[in-house]
Amino acid sequence: MSRDGHQAERLEVDPIACAGHGLCAELLPELIELDDWGYPLLANGGEVPPELAALARRAADACPTLALHRLRVAAAAGVGRATP
Amino acid sequence: MTLFASISPMWLATRGAGVVAFLLLTTTMALGVAGVLRLQARGWPRFALDAIHRSAALLALVFVGVHVATTVLDGYVDVRWIDAVVPFASGYRTFFVGLGAVAFDILLALAISGILRQRIGHRTWRAIHWAAYACWPIALVHTIGTGSDSGSVWLLAVIALCCATVAAAVVARLGVLRGDPSPPAPPAAGRTTSTGRTRARAVAR
Amino acid sequence: MTASTPRLMAGPGRGTVALGDHLALHGLPALESGLGAGALADLAERAGLRGRGGAGFPTDRKLRALAEARRAPFVVANGSEGEPASGKDRTLLTRSPHLVLDGLQLTALALGAERAVVAVRAGAGSARAALATALAERTAAGRDRVPVEVFPVPAGFVAGEERAVLNALAGGPPLPTVRRPWEGARPALVQNVETLAQLALIAAHGADWFRAAGTAAEPGTTLVTLDAAVVREVPLGTPLSELMPGASDANRGASDANRGASDANRGASDANRGASDAHRGEGDANGGAGVRALLVGGYAGGWVDGAAAGRVRLLQADLRPLGATVGCGAIVALPAGSCGVAETVRLMRWLADESAGQCGPCLYGLDAIATALEPLSAPRRPREDPLPRVRRWCGQIDGRGACRHPDGALRMLASALRVFAAEFDDHVRHGACERCAAPSLLPLPAHAATPEEVAA
């Protein structure tokens, strides 16, 4: 995880990989709800508040198709980088 | 008590751990297929089934470890540590113990690739994970072929139950073999379009 | 060469402009000396050139992004044109292949590319023939330093999307892919063929010359396809009423004269704008009458009320507030007396079926919307008002595909719900009208993008 423990994190869905299993919405209902076809809708642009970081990680790990990505939000341009 | 009096506790532990590991493998298989088919038990969230699938697999690995350790430490038969991972090298029931080693190796590969899934990516993980369908039948033949209890009614009953469970799972899985299936019983709006299309198999590289 | 239109389409006769005529018109010595990436980007920036493929992205920013790439990029001239209402890319390639190839060559040299590709629609026979002839002429003349390949792209609405073209070039299917930000963008520059031709013109004649047409914010000319049949080159800022098929030829002639006049005192761009202002009044007077609405910017564009056509110019500044876009310049007129609801519903169904089927929200969402709307123009009247549901779905689907296909479809639908609000209301209450069954005015070709076509 991040060194300072406070680095902003953002979730992003790979829409091609996502098959709508919906585990993410079960694990992280605070940020993810499902549309009428079972595909995830991210609240707040996918931004993860620090207190939900652990759950976000669990949701990303649980995704059967690994379609939910956690991106570190760079301070400047908002360009994300994956956290493994 | 009189029945087991002549047998060492180690050897009993070996057989017990083996059977428990096989039961756990069966559970893992069934839950894994249920996950692919998007089956859902009432009151059980999908992530819970997924978590049990993973936990059962790890627990199976633990029991296989006990199974191996007690076999070797018991010293009653000619099985060395190396025979647990290198197939067909043991002096005792070379073929059937060898199958056990094969199943163990596959199980290790499945566990390691599962833990590293985020790093190796979905495609690689998925390719490796198909080996689960080989792991279970090999473990089955090992259980029947090596097992000292294979004549007993209780073990035959356990094996029959496991076979029925996995057979049902595999038949259901074959029904939706093409790619990652859309759920058979989707939520609100349905997962087949009005023109009968479903998702193209993800082809992006 | 004068700054008046035609520029891209200039040349003797109506056929393909041969290399000799092309050199006489445009010369382009810069091709021999070569421009650096920075210089080319500066030139594009001074000219204010924006992409002509549909998205309208500033060309200089694309160039600069690629100039920083670590590996040598390859450059793609995208003429795949999946939009059925557009024919301008094929027309341009047929008429002025050398402009496109000059632009491609300039860009490839500036970026140090080792590979340059022209992606053409697989079925576009005359464009491919013209390209082949032009490439042979250039080889004979030793004009190209970066080797150029022609790559046929199968038909299909999303097959022309930038990453779909790159995917096809990499040997994959012509389907959009996800750009994963951490992978580092594949160093490839995809530019619409018209954008490259415009870039060649700018390099040959200068940024100021380019800016003599169009407005200060949106300079230059652009190619438009009218009613999926006629391709014209017009200055950006031309009133839509003047572009409407059915606007009288006299009217068109007058406006050309107008532009010629302002051309004489070029540089005084105010005069130019004044002239076109005066012209707008005219357009109002004789536009609008026979046209209920215009679909501007192609099938992912937006509907514009025919009555407003005289006040709206072919500019993002005018079209964006209306929910439309210049897009690829395809404009289709819906004559008064035809049914906007039926046209919209049919188009929505077609766009839903054109989904590549890779992303759930696009595949299932667009289909659900089309299915909900279809009863409005079907013989049996709808049992309930589908519009609240449709509006909720629109809010859910926007921005959730790997490409912009769902967003474009929803933009079209949103504009239709505004422009045809009264008609939709009427259809919700009373069901299909007597004109709903009329054949579609928009060309909606059957599905085509099969692998066999790629080979053909």
Side-chain angles (χ1 to χ4, degrees):
Chain A
M1 296 227 71
S2 59
R3 258 166 255 136
D4 55 25
H6 267 295
Q7 197 160 21
E9 194 180 276
R10 195 166 57 80
L11 288 174
E12 199 175 274
V13 176
D14 174 338
I16 294 180
C18 176
H21 281 270
L23 274 72
C24 55
E26 290 178 347
L27 284 163
L28 192 57
E30 295 89 343
L31 291 183
I32 303 174
E33 59 174 319
L34 300 180
D35 66 14
D36 289 3
W37 307 279
Y39 291 87
L41 289 158
L42 302 184
N44 199 17
E47 223 168 278
V48 182
E51 66 271 18
L52 291 178
L55 274 176
R57 186 190 179 124
R58 205 171 151 207
D61 285 341
C63 175
T65 58
L66 287 184
L68 187 65
H69 298 290
R70 292 155 58 234
L71 309 175
R72 250 183 247 144
V73 182
V79 180
R81 266 204 40 178
T83 54
Chain B
M1 285 302 270
T2 48
L3 182 68
F4 298 135
S6 61
I7 307 168
S8 82
M10 280 288 212
W11 190 240
L12 284 175
T14 293
R15 284 148 63 182
V19 172
V20 172
F22 185 66
L23 276 168
L24 285 166
L25 277 186
T26 305
T27 309
T28 308
M29 263 301 269
L31 287 174
V33 171
V36 174
L37 298 178
R38 307 181 186 218
L39 300 180
Q40 194 166 6
R42 194 177 291 273
W44 284 83
R46 286 276 313 279
F47 77 82
L49 294 184
D50 179 65
I52 297 172
H53 167 74
R54 295 180 196 210
S55 304
L58 286 176
L59 207 54
L61 202 60
V62 170
F63 273 90
V64 170
V66 172
H67 177 64
V68 169
T70 51
T71 304
V72 174
L73 293 176
D74 181 53
Y76 178 68
V77 291
D78 177 21
V79 175
R80 297 154 296 160
W81 286 109
I82 190 132
D83 296 327
V85 285
V86 177
F88 312 118
S90 82
Y92 174 72
R93 299 200 181 176
T94 307
F95 178 68
F96 288 111
V97 170
L99 287 183
V102 172
F104 183 43
D105 289 342
I106 295 177
L107 195 58
L108 275 178
L110 292 173
I112 293 168
S113 65
I115 290 164
L116 296 179
R117 203 167 68 108
Q118 287 278 10
R119 286 183 192 276
I120 62 180
H122 182 63
R123 285 174 160 273
T124 313
W125 169 83
R126 194 177 149 97
I128 296 171
H129 217 71
W130 280 109
Y133 288 95
C135 184
W136 188 87
I138 293 172
L140 171 70
V141 176
H142 166 77
T143 304
I144 296 171
T146 341
S148 311
D149 300 307
S150 51
S152 66
V153 175
W154 67 267
L155 185 63
L156 286 177
V158 166
I159 287 175
L161 188 71
C162 290
C163 284
T165 307
V166 169
V170 168
V171 166
R173 179 70 180 92
L174 285 175
V176 284
L177 195 58
R178 284 158 293 162
D180 196 359
S182 289
R191 213 74 87 80
T192 306
T193 69
S194 60
T195 45
R197 294 172 76 200
T198 50
R199 271 167 50 94
R201 202 167 166 183
V203 276
R205 264 157 228 279
Chain C
M1 185 182 172
T2 66
S4 66
T5 52
R7 296 170 165 185
L8 295 164
M9 309 301 258
R14 304 188 70 94
T16 304
V17 178
L19 184 57
D21 293 325
H22 169 75
L23 290 176
L25 276 165
H26 309 296
L28 195 51
L31 207 52
E32 275 92 68
S33 53
L35 278 171
L40 191 62
D42 288 344
L43 195 59
E45 188 179 3
R46 259 185 284 129
L49 179 61
R50 282 168 173 270
R52 300 287 200 251
F57 195 78
T59 305
D60 57 293
R61 276 168 53 192
K62 257 186 170 179
L63 285 169
R64 278 190 231 282
L66 263 293
E68 287 160 15
R70 258 168 276 155
R71 288 192 292 150
F74 75 94
V75 182
V76 181
N78 190 3
S80 50
E81 202 162 50
E83 166 76 58
S86 178
K88 59 115 177 160
D89 288 346
R90 276 160 285 174
T91 304
L92 175 66
L93 283 168
T94 309
R95 172 68 173 164
S96 307
H98 288 292
L99 270 180
V100 177
L101 292 169
D102 275 358
L104 181 63
Q105 205 59 219
L106 267 178
T107 310
L109 285 173
L111 295 174
E114 281 153 20
R115 189 182 172 198
V117 178
V118 187
V120 202
R121 181 76 168 264
S126 52
R128 287 170 72 184
L131 258 180
T133 311
L135 283 169
E137 285 179 300
R138 296 168 79 90
T139 308
R143 190 160 174 83
D144 290 345
R145 275 189 274 163
V146 181
V148 177
E149 301 159 45
V150 177
F151 184 83
V153 174
F157 194 65
V158 297
E161 192 264 346
E162 184 172 313
R163 277 168 282 157
V165 171
L166 288 177
N167 208 24
L169 277 167
L175 298 174
T177 58
V178 174
R179 181 169 289 156
R180 294 175 177 82
W182 56 92
E183 279 180 356
R186 181 198 180 86
L189 178 73
V190 181
Q191 292 280 32
N192 176 261
V193 286
E194 185 192 334
T195 313
L196 289 171
Q198 298 278 15
L199 194 60
L201 286 175
I202 293 166
H205 306 288
D208 291 335
W209 169 88
F210 181 76
R211 285 183 167 277
T215 67
E218 300 176 48
T221 63
T222 194
L223 294 175
V224 292
T225 311
L226 306 177
D227 274 350
V230 181
V231 174
R232 281 177 62 196
E233 183 181 9
V234 298
L236 282 166
T238 305
L240 294 186
S241 54
E242 198 189 309
L243 295 173
M244 273 188 321
S248 70
D249 280 327
N251 188 3
R252 229 172 263 163
S255 92
D256 279 350
N258 223 339
R259 237 171 282 122
S262 70
D263 207 5
N265 49 17
R266 166 153 79 83
S269 56
D270 279 8
N272 198 352
R273 233 166 286 138
S276 84
D277 271 353
H279 187 71
R280 258 194 286 156
E282 260 176 75
D284 234 350
N286 55 18
V291 173
R292 171 66 187 87
L294 294 160
L295 182 58
V296 184
Y299 291 175
W303 291 98
V304 175
D305 203 309
R311 276 170 281 128
V312 180
R313 297 163 296 168
L314 188 69
L315 290 177
Q316 296 294 28
D318 283 16
L319 289 166
R320 282 268 163 79
L322 300 173
T325 171
V326 175
C328 62
I331 301 172
V332 182
L334 191 69
S338 43
C339 178
V341 174
E343 295 295 339
T344 302
V345 172
R346 274 190 294 256
L347 180 53
M348 204 54 214
R349 164 51 62 199
W350 187 84
L351 289 169
D353 289 348
E354 281 295 310
S355 165
Q358 298 191 113
C359 306
C362 176
L363 174 64
Y364 300 114
L366 294 188
D367 177 74
I369 290 175
T371 304
L373 290 175
E374 271 167 341
L376 293 180
S377 58
R380 275 203 305 169
R381 59 181 286 199
R383 259 174 278 147
E384 46 149 2
D385 182 358
L387 296 185
R389 235 180 331 152
V390 166
R391 288 207 170 88
R392 185 169 63 83
W393 283 335
C394 286
Q396 286 191 348
I397 298 163
D398 196 46
R400 287 178 60 221
C403 72
R404 312 297 285 177
H405 178 63
D407 309 357
L410 296 183
R411 175 167 53 195
M412 184 284 293
L413 179 60
S415 71
L417 291 175
R418 276 194 304 272
V419 172
F420 305 124
E423 287 98 320
F424 268 100
D425 189 52
D426 176 75
H427 283 64
V428 166
R429 283 179 210 212
H430 308 295
C433 67
E434 64 273 21
R435 299 177 313 260
C436 276
S440 178
L441 286 161
L442 306 167
L444 302 174
H447 274 284
T450 59
E452 296 81 69
E453 278 211 7
V454 185

